[in-house]
């Protein structure tokens, strides 16, 4: 007898800019019969312990998903922004946590500057309110992102939706935008490897010349590419599978779930990589760990 083994390896929680707590996410994953989920918050691993605790026995119970520790790092390149997913990293690694704390501080400083820009152009919101929206169950210090500012703008009546706030004010080139410190794509891969994880290029379709970027990053030790993702259309997926076959990359996938969509829909668990992808990522991570020691 075979059961469907659905997995989802890309999602965000309230530890960064997701709208559901890690505990909620695990409950939703259980309802959807997902066997494995990866928590991949922006610049923080703080949601992972809660998810693991919520999935009480880490997947050994029939209906509890196994939790893969992950991260999503933003890297910057002249060829466009590149997001790098890290899987199975050692979340106790001191260098990793020091670096992530620095990124989160930079996110907070930048959010303050965006709020100042908004004030200057006649849309005052309180920075304190942005911090409240970003807070993880009352806890400060999570990864603050532009979506939190967008939500404060919606509350204040300056925007109709998160997308609307980005399109008119928060995206690069728009009046309130402020850039922040980011790694190079190679730097992101190196940090993930030094932390004992496997590095996967996220949603390649969002990078204009993704083919060239994948080939370039193979040189830097890229372990995989995200093939199944809402941003990748059928052609892109086909092309990515071809690249992965040529360069020996792991093909991954996930929903990049942040919360309910415009129509209230929940995409969690709707974008599935092959069920054993998490194992391939774990093996790649173990190789990097062996090399690190
Ligand atoms: P930040 O981390 O502050 O750079 O914000 C990036 C996050 O904002 C992404 O991870 C998405 O969740 C969200 N985002 C980026 N662009 C848009 C957009 N055009 N519309 C809605 N959300 C967006
Ligand atoms: Zn996000
Ligand atoms: Fe991303
Ligand atoms: Fe993401």
């Amino acid at each position: 007898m075979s059961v469907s083994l659905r997995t989802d390896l890309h999602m965000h929680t309230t530890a960064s800019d997701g709208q559901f707590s890690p505990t909620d996410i695990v409950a939703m994953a259980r309802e959807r019969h997902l066997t494995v989920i990866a928590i991949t918050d922006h610049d923080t691993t703080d949601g992972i312990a809660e998810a693991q605790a919520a999935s009480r026995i880490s997947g050994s119970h029939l209906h509890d998903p196994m939790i893969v520790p992950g991260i999503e790092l933003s890297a910057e390149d002249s060829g466009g922004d590149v997001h790098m997913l890290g899987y199975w990293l050692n979340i106790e690694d001191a260098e990793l946590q020091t670096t992530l704390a620095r990124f989160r501080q930079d996110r907070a400083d930048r959010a303050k500057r965006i709020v100042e820009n908004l004030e200057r152009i006649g849309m005052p919101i309180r920075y304190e309110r942005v911090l409240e929206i970003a807070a993880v169950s009352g806890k400060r210090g999570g990864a603050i992102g532009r979506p939190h500012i967008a939500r404060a703008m919606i509350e204040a009546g300056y925007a109709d939706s998160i997308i609307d706030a980005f399109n008119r004010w928060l995206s690069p080139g728009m009046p309130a935008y402020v850039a922040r410190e980011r790694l190079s794509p190679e730097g992101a891969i190196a940090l993930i490897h030094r932390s004992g994880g496997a590095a996967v290029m996220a949603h390649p379709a969002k990078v204009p010349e993704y083919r060239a970027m994948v080939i370039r990053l193979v040189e830097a030790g890229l372990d995989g590419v995200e093939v199944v993702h809402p941003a990748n259309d059928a052609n892109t997926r086909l092309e990515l599978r071809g690249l992965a076959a040529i360069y020996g990359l792991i093909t991954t996938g996930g929903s990049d779930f942040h919360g309910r969509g415009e129509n209230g829909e929940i995409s969690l668990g709707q974008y599935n990589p092959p069920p054993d992808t998490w194992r391939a990522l774990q093996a790649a991570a173990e190789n990097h760990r062996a090399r690190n020691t």
Side-chain angles (χ1 to χ4, degrees):
M1 191 195 77
S2 83
V3 289
S4 85
L5 298 172
R6 291 196 304 133
T7 74
D8 185 334
L9 300 179
H10 188 162
M11 65 196 66
H12 300 270
T13 76
T14 45
S16 65
D17 58 0
Q19 300 198 352
F20 291 95
S21 71
T23 302
D24 293 339
I25 292 267
V26 168
M28 291 158 76
R30 192 182 289 129
E31 277 168 24
R32 287 162 177 75
H33 302 289
L34 299 177
T35 55
V36 180
I37 60 172
I39 305 290
T40 55
D41 275 309
H42 302 284
D43 296 345
T44 180
T45 58
D46 289 352
I48 292 165
E50 185 186 321
Q52 284 171 335
S55 181
R56 286 167 302 268
I57 25 189
S58 284
S60 57
H61 181 276
L62 190 58
H63 301 295
D64 276 354
M66 184 179 75
I67 312 297
V68 175
I71 190 90
E72 182 171 16
L73 301 173
S74 307
E76 186 177 34
D77 184 78
S78 54
D81 285 4
V82 177
H83 288 184
M84 198 64 64
L85 294 160
Y87 291 104
W88 291 108
L89 18 73
N90 171 17
I91 62 174
E92 271 148 34
D93 184 85
E95 186 208 348
L96 174 70
Q97 291 304 339
T98 305
T99 308
L100 296 180
R102 187 158 53 82
F103 288 158
R104 292 196 296 273
Q105 183 57 51
D106 189 57
R107 281 174 170 279
D109 296 343
R110 177 251 211 157
K112 202 174 265 173
R113 291 174 58 204
I114 293 177
V115 168
E116 286 164 9
N117 283 348
L118 288 170
E119 166 127 47
R120 207 161 27 74
I121 55 185
M123 288 182 287
I125 55 170
R126 287 183 310 112
Y127 179 63
E128 263 302 303
R129 183 62 197 137
V130 176
L131 291 184
E132 279 165 20
I133 291 170
V136 188
S137 47
K139 204 172 74 198
R140 299 292 165 118
I144 302 168
R146 283 172 291 163
H148 301 123
I149 299 173
R151 282 193 247 159
M153 292 176 73
I154 295 166
E155 274 182 8
Y158 303 136
D160 298 331
S161 66
I162 292 183
I163 291 172
D164 179 44
F166 268 88
N167 286 347
R168 291 195 290 150
W169 313 106
L170 300 176
S171 290
M174 293 301 138
Y177 180 73
V178 176
R180 66 187 163 85
E181 182 201 342
R182 277 169 294 176
L183 297 161
S184 67
E186 283 85 354
I189 293 173
L191 176 62
I192 290 165
H193 286 171
R194 285 198 303 276
S195 313
V200 172
M201 184 177 167
H203 41 66
K206 293 191 185 180
V207 178
E209 299 288 336
Y210 68 81
R211 235 194 124 82
M213 183 61 74
V214 169
I215 293 167
R216 174 180 133 187
L217 295 183
V218 165
E219 291 291 312
L222 185 70
D223 297 289
V225 283
E226 190 174 49
V227 173
V228 183
H229 182 280
N232 297 342
D233 64 16
N235 256 331
T236 306
R237 293 180 194 191
L238 203 61
E239 191 168 32
L240 287 169
R241 287 190 205 287
L243 278 173
I246 293 168
Y247 295 104
L249 298 168
I250 300 165
T251 57
T252 76
S255 61
D256 205 353
F257 179 64
H258 280 77
R260 286 184 190 280
E262 298 273 280
N263 305 315
E265 77 279 10
I266 289 180
S267 63
L268 182 75
Q270 299 297 310
Y271 295 82
N272 314 116
D276 55 354
T277 304
W278 65 273
R279 277 186 205 279
L281 292 169
Q282 190 178 43
E286 272 164 14
N287 275 333
H288 293 299
R289 286 188 196 204
R291 252 175 268 162
N292 287 346
T293 53

